[in-house]
Amino acid sequence: MLKAGSTIGIVGGGQLGRMLALAAARLGLHCHIYSPEKNSCAFEVAAAATCAPYDDETALARFAAACDVITYEFENVPAKTAAYLARRKPVLPDPRVLEITQDRLIEKNFLTELKIPTAPYASVHSATQLAEGIAKVGLPAVLKTKQLGYDGKGQAKIAKNGDPAAAWRSVRGAPSIVEGFIAFEREVSVIAARSADGKVECFEVTENEHRDHILHTSRVPAKVTPALAADARRIATRIAKAFDYVGVLAVEMFEVRKGRTRTLMVNEIAPRVHNSGHWTIDGATVSQFEQHIRAVAGWPLAKPVRLGKVEMINLIGDEVNDAAQWLTVPGAAVHVYGKGAPSPGRKMGHVTKVISR
Ligand code: AMP
């Protein structure tokens, strides 16, 4: 259990690192951010910062020496970087988790082994395999690169009468998976925290609306039945246990209707705090960021209590210029990440509206 005044290293310097550092500061813990980008928005709210490439072993060694425990705020931390740090200081969650979640095929196979439903999928390394994959999963389908995909990047939809060759060209022949396109009822996610002694606390199921593949709005409570909500939390808990996870993770799921039955399919696991959990800062007694800090510090988790009906709206690109209009809205909490110039699709801030029950 880390003592107050200890230092948590965070690999990555975006808004997630920024909000983690703010949560740590509140608990009397310091954060040291490691990021190669000069203008990282987490730097300005952290006790210490290292700006160096992820393969700079001298900088990594110095960073590790300055920290008591190390965590990360994005899932694409290079495997070599994570391994180098893990030889020097505890890295939580265990970097093994990254090997699974950095590759869509390995992640889907992991879920299948746990008997957790996903969209039907097939591995694709060539145009021929894409045709075979489509024969298995059907059309419409989605082709997704195995690695480095987020917010719909590295994805191509193939319509019922679509052109698989065009999709294959659009991912530039990168190793991929093809998935059956799911006509879901809604998208939901569960943010789960697991402590070093194996206790799990899940936040309430969140309903997510995407626009142009980017999360736009999250609403809590989700419009799902209590049974489905319990199922969603069970799935997230099973995943956290299977990883022997320490920290916060997010599980994105589709709610699917077959006749009268409603079931869940897991779309993606994010081994980190997640955009769909931002509502917890203002909408619950403990945030996902604080839960993560508590977990990696070896502290007990809090039991989250939601404070009302909550809606979180992302400020994407130029929308951040409208942030001021939210300042006087009753129940609205405004977050601006301080990221500099907005560009299309860039997450610049968010607003949480809490409507008391
Ligand atoms: P991902 O990068 O896998 O999280 O996908 C981004 C978004 O694309 C998801 O949140 C869904 O809205 C949509 N999507 C991804 N995979 C599928 C699928 N198999 N069927 C339908 N929609 C999908």
Side-chain angles (χ1 to χ4, degrees):
M1 185 164 167
L2 291 191
K3 290 196 190 70
S6 302
T7 299
I8 297 176
I10 299 176
V11 182
Q15 67 269 19
L16 301 179
R18 178 180 171 103
M19 290 184 269
L20 282 168
L22 290 168
R26 214 175 76 155
L27 296 177
L29 293 161
H30 303 305
C31 282
H32 185 146
I33 306 288
Y34 190 109
S35 166
E37 275 129 48
K38 237 182 22 227
N39 298 324
S40 293
C41 68
F43 284 163
E44 64 181 2
V45 301
T50 298
C51 187
Y54 288 130
D55 60 358
D56 180 340
E57 294 196 343
T58 312
L60 287 171
R62 216 177 290 138
F63 167 70
C67 300
D68 297 294
V69 64
I70 296 170
T71 187
Y72 40 88
E73 59 108 56
F74 73 115
E75 60 272 51
N76 288 316
V77 176
K80 262 184 95 175
T81 306
Y84 186 86
L85 291 171
R87 285 198 293 277
R88 283 160 180 78
K89 283 291 158 71
V91 176
L92 295 170
D94 191 301
R96 265 184 319 109
V97 172
L98 294 175
E99 285 166 31
I100 298 172
T101 55
Q102 281 177 358
D103 185 297
R104 288 188 193 272
L105 180 65
I106 300 175
E107 182 176 283
K108 285 265 182 337
N109 288 342
F110 164 82
L111 289 164
T112 305
E113 267 167 41
L114 288 178
K115 298 195 166 55
I116 293 173
T118 67
Y121 64 98
S123 174
V124 174
H125 286 90
S126 64
T128 316
Q129 272 191 342
L130 177 56
E132 289 164 4
I134 289 172
K136 182 176 160 197
V137 306
L139 283 178
V142 192
L143 185 66
K144 300 180 177 180
T145 58
K146 282 187 192 173
Q147 294 184 341
L148 297 175
Y150 69 99
D151 287 348
K153 294 191 172 67
Q155 283 192 26
K157 189 173 168 187
I158 311 168
K160 219 168 171 68
N161 303 311
D163 179 9
W168 184 237
R169 276 195 303 276
S170 82
V171 301
R172 298 196 180 90
S176 297
I177 61 169
V178 64
E179 280 180 22
F181 185 82
I182 305 301
F184 50 76
E185 284 286 293
R186 55 173 56 79
E187 293 191 75
V188 296
S189 59
V190 174
I191 310 288
R194 188 168 183 271
S195 59
D197 62 359
K199 294 205 174 70
V200 176
E201 290 291 345
C202 294
F203 287 95
E204 277 176 76
V205 179
T206 305
E207 183 162 341
N208 302 315
E209 187 189 320
H210 291 80
R211 292 194 194 159
D212 301 326
H213 293 281
I214 301 173
L215 181 66
H216 186 273
T217 307
S218 290
R219 294 183 183 88
V220 201
K223 283 201 188 108
V224 295
T225 62
L228 203 88
D231 209 19
R233 287 197 296 266
R234 247 190 321 267
I235 288 173
T237 303
R238 280 176 59 208
I239 292 171
K241 275 194 187 141
F243 279 143
D244 196 16
Y245 200 87
V246 178
V248 162
L249 62 72
V251 184
E252 295 183 76
M253 311 177 206
F254 300 140
E255 182 192 332
V256 189
R257 199 171 65 181
K258 259 197 218 138
R260 282 210 173 152
T261 24
R262 288 160 188 272
T263 54
L264 293 164
M265 280 181 183
V266 170
N267 177 40
E268 207 170 31
I269 305 167
R272 54 170 170 79
V273 286
H274 190 257
N275 196 170
S276 68
H278 289 2
W279 66 268
T280 60
I281 300 178
D282 306 293
T285 48
V286 66
S287 73
Q288 61 165 348
F289 301 99
E290 179 171 334
Q291 290 289 63
H292 186 76
I293 294 293
R294 285 175 179 236
V296 301
W299 292 17
L301 300 174
K303 292 222 166 282
V305 176
R306 183 165 53 81
L307 300 174
K309 216 174 130 201
V310 192
E311 190 170 294
M312 188 285 313
I313 303 147
N314 271 336
L315 301 175
I316 295 167
D318 285 343
E319 285 166 6
V320 73
N321 298 331
D322 304 333
Q325 82 184 27
W326 290 97
L327 292 172
T328 51
V329 174
V334 180
H335 298 253
V336 177
Y337 305 147
K339 281 167 106 170
S343 56
R346 192 168 191 213
K347 290 173 179 168
M348 302 299 293
H350 72 267
V351 174
T352 306
K353 285 195 288 177
V354 183
I355 303 149
S356 62
R357 289 187 252 215

